[in-house]
Amino acid sequence: MSSEDFKPFVPAEQKMAEFTIKSILLGCIAGIIFGAATVYLALKAGLTVSASIPIAVLAITLGKRFFKTTILENNIIQTTGSAGESIAAGVVFTLPGFLFLSVSESRQSTGDAFFNYMTILILAILGGALGTLMMIPLRKSLIVKEHKNLPYPEGTACASVLEAGEKGGNFAKTAFWGLGFSLVYALLQKVFHLIAEAPTWATKQANKFLPSAQVSGEITPEYLGVGYIIGPKIAGVLVAGGVLAWLGIIPLLATLIDPVIAAKQLIKLGMLADITKPGGVGGWDPLTHTFADYPRAIYQAFVKQIGAGAVAAGGFITLLKTIPTIVSSFKDSLGSIKNKDEKAEVKRTERDLSLKVVALGSLALIILMAILPQIPGDSIVNKLIIGLLVIVFGAFFVTVSSRIVGLIGSSNNPISGMTIATIMGTCLVFIAVGWTGKIYEPMALVVGGMICIAAANAGATSQDLKTGYIVGATPKYQQLALFIGAIVSSIVIGVTVRILDTPTTEMLNQGITHAIGTEKYAAPQATLMATLIKGMLSFNLDWQYVLVGVFIAITIELCGINALSFAVGAYLPLSTTLPIFAGGAVKGIVNWREKKKTKSAEEEEIAPGNLFATGLVAGGAIAGVIVAILTVIPSVNDNLGKVNTETFLTQILGDGGYQLLGVIFFLIMAFVLYRISMKKQEEL
């Protein structure tokens, strides 16, 4: 079907309420909620899931039922809200890297001063605006002309949800069940501690068969939901990387490496103050020259750098595989801009914001980056070069991102690979003009961060525009909604990042001033970006460990397996990937039991299991953010300690019994997910 033959759900000549105050307000609320939840999930697991479907479900339930919204207003709600999730992903994947740049003489990161609320807010808004701006001239070529060739799976599924809701479809009930179940589970786990947070099995260093091996799992609802959504194949590859790291590499290194060597490596990385002082990562004891948690010490000292090399290589391989798509999509986009007929009569469903908005917006972005004091750089010239690099890389990778998500969906968008390529290109430009050393590292991260945010937002924007094209929305109203959603969501994203970064009393006692970067919030992608920048500009990277990871990724790719998923699994703690694998296993069992052929994207996205799983993800992540906020307030944190049942249960059941109880609760939740997944929508 050509674009001329396509008929949207709402005809172009039909007038209907669309860009209204209530639709924008409801969309902003959704963006705030899912933006905060995405920050939490991305910091912990380095993963995100598309918020478009759950927001569309909420729109047809709350909007249509209580605010009498039309299908086009519901589309604006979904469009505005989805900006929060995509911008949050871009922010968390890069900007915490400020904390992990080269350390100054005062033992602080050279980027520490830039990891503040205003800088995060400004970069989030500018990056989000860049992604939307660059998509304005691309909509006609990628969404309209390529309608038959680029399915944009999440966008098409969203349109199906909105249309079904208009016809009376009942989807939200299952998602709300998942949300409620998840909140209750999280309350029992994070507030009352009736459920252990991370049951762990570990061998001793003296074990001659498998020394310092460790198997653990953060048995949370959001991880189970994420695993179900991404499916058994990706979840299996993800956990495989963790198995190699925690049951292979760590026991091997624990056998070969003296603890003193590991301690010296931690000192070099800034994770241990001095070899004569106790504490630090892993609990160093200077008297006995041992660690209280040797697997963790080995992981932080060596395995994370191996994992970083693997993730970098995996992202770059993914990017190389898409080069034909990159070249063709960029050519098509330039051609569509040249052939645009401004004089033709424009129907409602074809009205975009003017190209003048793109030109003036890009110029304004460069000027703002040059004059704002929150942007790193010691002169206006420095900042102008940063701004120009952002526009050049942004125009290129926004096109790439949009084309790729049109084929494989936003969840599989290789944003990390694009960001890695941007950072490497930026660093090479810096080296060419003689900008080497620690002071230029924050500037390189700004370029990478803004491109990551822009590419992530462009992917989500493309899905939204596809939804709008199918249902018959007005493109310029969607584009305006995306700008609004980006600004409002960015306000809350910055607050959420700063709250989650607040260290606990225990962390402060260990000399840890940032919660981000610890096992609580690993921020794997951001750590990788900082590692690359340091390696290229300061020449202080431990290449021997990084190259091990590079060749692991190459080996996995040669075996026909997605190297990036495996590499992320090797980089993350096994406690993160194991419960995700459990969710993928549930999905695998459901698929096996159904004994059906492959379903279409629309059917898959709105199936009961997926809706319940999105509820688990949203509920668990929201509960995590709320508890994190409460623990920052000293008086509330003290009261939370009074309702903690962990000590009482451990006394009765023993430490092993208490952890086993947590596993039982997690299995019950997995069984509930399985049972709901096996039911038809009409049975619920």
Side-chain angles (χ1 to χ4, degrees):
M1 180 188 294
S2 67
S3 60
E4 290 79 11
D5 298 329
F6 176 77
K7 302 296 180 185
F9 186 80
V10 178
E13 57 274 10
Q14 183 176 345
K15 292 184 178 180
M16 183 182 291
E18 184 174 7
F19 191 71
T20 59
I21 293 176
K22 61 184 176 182
S23 64
I24 291 295
L25 288 176
L26 288 171
C28 287
I29 292 170
I32 288 168
I33 293 171
F34 283 94
T38 299
V39 168
Y40 177 81
L41 189 62
L43 278 175
K44 285 182 71 68
L47 299 167
T48 63
V49 292
S50 176
S52 298
I53 300 295
I55 293 175
V57 168
L58 292 174
I60 63 176
T61 306
L62 302 179
K64 185 175 173 62
R65 183 169 300 177
F66 298 108
F67 298 95
K68 309 301 180 185
T69 51
T70 66
I71 185 173
L72 297 187
E73 285 178 307
N74 289 337
N75 180 57
I76 290 294
I77 294 171
Q78 183 272 133
T79 299
T80 309
S82 67
E85 172 258 335
S86 59
I87 292 173
V91 167
V92 174
F93 284 171
T94 53
L95 299 191
F98 281 125
L99 300 176
F100 314 128
L101 296 175
S102 294
V103 177
S104 63
E105 292 179 3
S106 62
R107 305 300 297 171
Q108 265 197 328
S109 167
T110 52
D112 198 282
F114 299 104
F115 193 66
N116 58 67
Y117 175 73
M118 284 306 300
T119 302
I120 295 171
L121 173 65
I122 289 168
L123 293 177
I125 291 174
L126 294 181
L130 178 65
T132 303
L133 276 174
M134 295 300 175
M135 271 305 301
I136 292 172
L138 297 176
R139 187 194 70 85
K140 190 170 183 180
S141 64
L142 295 181
I143 308 299
V144 179
K145 291 185 178 179
E146 294 285 338
H147 176 61
K148 184 178 179 181
N149 301 320
L150 295 176
Y152 288 97
E154 288 95 345
T156 304
C158 254
S160 297
V161 171
L162 292 173
E163 290 177 9
E166 193 69 10
K167 298 173 184 176
N170 180 24
F171 305 105
K173 182 178 172 184
T174 310
F176 280 121
W177 271 111
L179 184 68
F181 189 99
S182 181
L183 287 172
V184 171
Y185 184 100
L187 184 70
L188 294 175
Q189 184 178 54
K190 300 178 187 296
V191 176
F192 294 102
H193 294 272
L194 183 66
I195 304 171
E197 292 198 35
T200 302
W201 171 85
T203 62
K204 295 180 179 179
Q205 172 61 17
N207 189 304
K208 66 178 182 179
F209 297 107
L210 202 63
S212 294
Q214 190 177 96
V215 177
S216 61
E218 288 188 54
I219 47 176
T220 62
E222 60 267 27
Y223 285 168
L224 185 72
V226 167
Y228 187 92
I229 292 169
I230 66 177
K233 185 174 181 179
I234 297 176
V237 174
L238 201 64
V239 80
V243 170
L244 174 66
W246 289 84
L247 297 177
I249 296 175
I250 289 177
L252 177 63
L253 294 180
T255 304
L256 300 175
I257 294 176
D258 187 276
V260 174
I261 296 175
K264 289 179 179 178
Q265 178 67 12
L266 290 174
I267 293 170
K268 178 181 177 181
L269 296 172
M271 297 181 184
L272 179 62
D274 192 272
I275 202 164
T276 61
K277 296 179 181 178
V281 172
W284 171 249
D285 186 338
L287 298 177
T288 61
H289 283 191
T290 58
F291 287 94
D293 188 349
Y294 200 33
R296 185 183 174 201
I298 292 286
Y299 168 71
Q300 293 288 350
F302 306 107
V303 175
K304 281 190 77 172
Q305 295 191 74
I306 294 173
V311 173
F316 203 69
I317 289 169
T318 303
L319 191 64
L320 288 175
K321 288 160 68 177
T322 60
I323 282 179
T325 302
I326 292 171
V327 174
S328 63
S329 62
F330 203 66
K331 285 181 178 178
D332 290 345
S333 301
L334 290 175
S336 71
I337 294 172
K338 290 177 181 177
N339 297 329
K340 188 175 179 66
D341 186 0
E342 297 284 355
K343 297 180 180 180
E345 184 180 349
V346 181
K347 295 189 291 185
R348 178 185 63 81
T349 52
E350 295 176 5
R351 293 173 192 160
D352 292 285
L353 290 175
S354 169
L355 287 179
K356 293 178 183 178
V357 173
V358 180
L360 293 175
S362 300
L363 181 62
L365 191 147
I366 294 173
I367 294 171
L368 284 172
M369 291 192 70
I371 63 175
L372 287 173
Q374 289 82 7
I375 305 297
D378 55 7
S379 70
I380 290 182
V381 175
N382 289 152
K383 295 183 178 184
L384 281 173
I385 291 176
I386 292 177
L388 289 170
L389 286 172
V390 164
I391 295 298
V392 172
F393 282 122
F396 184 72
F397 283 117
V398 162
T399 305
V400 173
S401 178
S402 178
R403 182 83 185 193
I404 290 173
V405 301
L407 294 170
I408 60 178
S410 296
S411 299
N412 299 311
N413 192 3
I415 295 172
S416 293
M418 300 179 205
T419 309
I420 289 166
T422 298
I423 284 174
M424 292 177 72
T426 301
C427 288
L428 290 173
V429 171
F430 282 13
I431 291 169
V433 296
W435 293 358
T436 58
K438 298 177 182 179
I439 62 171
Y440 296 105
E441 292 175 5
M443 295 168 58
L445 184 62
V446 165
V447 178
M450 287 192 62
I451 297 309
C452 186
I453 296 166
N457 193 40
T461 297
S462 302
Q463 303 289 359
D464 295 334
L465 293 173
K466 180 72 167 186
T467 302
Y469 180 66
I470 294 172
V471 301
T474 308
K476 74 172 183 179
Y477 289 150
Q478 283 192 281
Q479 290 153 358
L480 288 171
L482 284 160
F483 283 121
I484 295 170
I487 294 169
V488 173
S489 300
S490 296
I491 295 171
V492 180
I493 287 166
V495 172
T496 307
V497 170
R498 296 300 297 160
I499 289 172
L500 296 181
D501 188 45
T502 305
T504 62
T505 304
E506 183 182 352
M507 290 177 185
L508 289 172
N509 292 337
Q510 296 176 2
I512 299 171
T513 56
H514 294 280
I516 293 176
T518 65
E519 286 191 4
K520 187 175 183 181
Y521 303 116
Q525 308 276 16
T527 310
L528 166 65
M529 304 309 167
T531 302
L532 285 173
I533 292 170
K534 287 189 294 184
M536 295 192 72
L537 294 184
S538 297
F539 308 103
N540 63 352
L541 192 63
D542 290 318
W543 286 104
Q544 65 272 37
Y545 307 125
V546 173
L547 288 175
V548 169
V550 168
F551 288 112
I552 286 175
I554 292 172
T555 301
I556 295 300
E557 191 69 37
L558 290 172
C559 292
I561 298 168
N562 187 322
L564 184 57
S565 296
F566 185 91
V568 170
Y571 186 89
L572 289 171
L574 186 60
S575 59
T576 298
T577 56
L578 195 57
I580 291 174
F581 174 68
V586 173
K587 180 65 175 290
I589 294 170
V590 169
N591 291 344
W592 175 67
R593 287 291 308 273
E594 285 180 343
K595 296 180 180 177
K596 289 182 178 179
K597 300 286 185 181
T598 303
K599 295 187 284 186
S600 67
E602 295 88 345
E603 293 171 331
E604 183 67 23
E605 292 285 0
I606 60 178
N610 270 47
L611 290 172
F612 190 80
T614 57
L616 290 179
V617 173
I622 291 167
V625 173
I626 292 172
V627 171
I629 293 171
L630 294 177
T631 54
V632 171
I633 307 169
S635 58
V636 176
N637 190 40
D638 292 340
N639 289 325
L640 288 176
K642 294 176 183 178
V643 297
N644 190 331
T645 62
E646 181 176 351
T647 303
F648 173 72
L649 290 172
T650 303
Q651 289 174 349
I652 296 174
L653 303 173
D655 187 58
Y658 172 66
Q659 296 194 41
L660 180 61
L661 178 66
V663 173
I664 291 171
F665 271 100
F666 185 73
L667 291 174
I668 291 171
M669 180 168 58
F671 180 73
V672 171
L673 174 59
Y674 165 76
R675 291 291 299 168
I676 288 177
S677 302
M678 293 303 297
K679 292 185 177 183
K680 303 288 186 185
Q681 185 68 53
E682 57 270 15
E683 295 175 7
L684 297 167

